[in-house]
Amino acid sequence: MGPPGAGKGTQAVALSEHIGGAHISTGDIFRANVANETELGKTAKKYMDAGQYVPDEVTNAMVRDRLAEPDAAAFVLDGYPRTAEQVTVLDDILAGLGASLDVVLELVVADREELIQRMLKRAETSGRADDTEDVIRHRQDVYASETAVLLPIYRERGLLVEVDGVGTIDEVQGRIFAALDAAVPQA
Ligand code: AMP
């Protein structure tokens, strides 16, 4: 977990390789559907372009299907859950699979302007319709109001590990692997 621009996508790819699990990014799955012009993509695009969350029932159904696939025996969820409803549904999905979360990693980047500058830099090459400055700012607000409030839930469950997200990609990756190895010794 962590705000837009914290580096979740980059780090989640490396982490999934580290643990030998599937990288499941709801944003990536939505973007693939937009590119392929599927019905799901058409629904999601309206929300994504505005920097809003895709409705929970759409997102949850997609994650439920993805986690049921055979390669998801071990997984890194990237960008999910993002709402209180998604936390509840994820609990239900995992219970149905006899699975559970080992750890919830939060990439901490407290400086909102640093995040916005990182995203504006990414925007130069990303080609993403939601990487305009207005939408970038709005996505920070949505994270603060909808998603940051979920962190205490996982903290109370003893699953939350905060990792400093300021530094080079390699530095942050090293912190994540160290934090993971301490929290989940068998990983
Ligand atoms: P991301 O690539 O994680 O920044 O996600 C890009 C966009 O996809 C978000 O701004 C949302 O519109 C949508 N999205 C991704 N994950 C979720 C989620 N868990 N719930 C709702 N919308 C999501």
Side-chain angles (χ1 to χ4, degrees), residues 134-183:
D134 282 355
V135 176
I136 284 170
R137 289 187 182 275
H138 183 60
R139 285 158 65 201
Q140 296 296 335
D141 292 340
V142 172
Y143 179 82
S145 61
E146 302 267 337
T147 304
V149 294
L150 308 178
L151 296 168
I153 298 175
Y154 288 118
R155 186 175 293 119
E156 274 165 30
R157 293 186 192 182
L159 289 175
L160 188 71
V161 175
E162 296 171 43
V163 174
D164 180 2
V166 180
T168 65
I169 290 174
D170 285 350
E171 282 166 352
V172 176
Q173 183 179 308
R175 288 176 204 145
I176 289 175
F177 290 0
L180 182 79
D181 292 343

Side-chain angles (χ1 to χ4, degrees), residues 8 25-28 30-31 47-48 51-54 56 59 78-82 86 122 128 130 139:
K8 289 190 301 296
S25 157
T26 43
D28 284 354
F30 283 134
R31 278 185 289 279
Y47 298 95
M48 295 170 79
Q52 291 165 2
Y53 286 167
V54 178
D56 283 335
T59 310
D78 166 8
Y80 182 94
R82 268 168 145 121
Q86 291 177 16
R122 182 178 79 184
R128 280 176 57 162
D130 60 351
R139 285 158 65 201

Side-chain angles (χ1 to χ4, degrees), residues 70-148:
D71 71 319
F75 56 82
V76 176
L77 280 171
D78 166 8
Y80 182 94
R82 268 168 145 121
T83 67
E85 171 71 15
Q86 291 177 16
V87 170
T88 304
V89 172
L90 178 59
D91 287 341
D92 179 67
I93 295 171
L94 294 177
L97 293 168
S100 58
L101 297 176
D102 289 322
V103 65
V104 175
L105 288 166
E106 178 193 1
L107 273 183
V108 180
V109 181
D111 183 347
R112 182 184 156 99
E113 283 310 310
E114 153 125 12
L115 291 166
I116 290 168
Q117 291 314 315
R118 283 186 187 189
M119 293 180 77
L120 287 171
K121 193 158 176 13
R122 182 178 79 184
E124 292 167 11
T125 54
S126 74
R128 280 176 57 162
D130 60 351
D131 271 351
T132 64
E133 181 159 358
D134 282 355
V135 176
I136 284 170
R137 289 187 182 275
H138 183 60
R139 285 158 65 201
Q140 296 296 335
D141 292 340
V142 172
Y143 179 82
S145 61
E146 302 267 337
T147 304

